[in-house]
Amino acid sequence: MTFEIKLLGAEKPIAWTDETTKDAILSYSYEVLASGAVVVHRTKTTADEDGYGVDRNDVIAIYGPASWDQVSGDGEICRH
């Protein structure tokens, strides 16, 4: 998934794009909370010693409601 977050006062948006490295697949997603904060999540998929996929999910960025102007791309808006 690819998405962009335009921060207030920034010339260019921050782009988050899925990628594949030598050791892992990195997938990014975001959600807009009811408070207005944007939370960026990363899922890192690696292979264990038996070759099975293992996912690790992390929150890698949080933007407060007063710090961003626009989010574009696929994501989720929480209503609760």
Side-chain angles (χ1 to χ4, degrees):
M1 177 183 326
T2 298
F3 61 91
E4 295 183 337
I5 300 172
K6 175 79 167 74
L7 299 179
L8 292 173
E11 287 187 33
K12 296 182 179 181
I14 299 170
W16 299 90
T17 303
D18 293 352
E19 58 186 303
T20 301
T21 67
K22 185 174 103 176
D23 301 323
I25 299 170
L26 304 175
S27 302
Y28 299 93
S29 62
Y30 75 88
E31 61 182 327
V32 179
L33 303 179
S35 67
V38 176
V39 180
V40 179
H41 302 271
R42 178 184 67 197
T43 301
K44 182 178 182 179
T45 304
T46 57
D48 67 10
E49 59 275 352
D50 295 322
Y52 293 101
V54 177
D55 289 340
R56 176 183 171 156
N57 298 305
D58 295 303
V59 172
I60 58 169
I62 300 173
Y63 301 98
S67 66
W68 63 278
D69 180 44
Q70 179 180 342
V71 179
S72 59
D74 294 328
E76 181 177 336
I77 299 175
C78 296
R79 304 272 183 219
H80 46 259

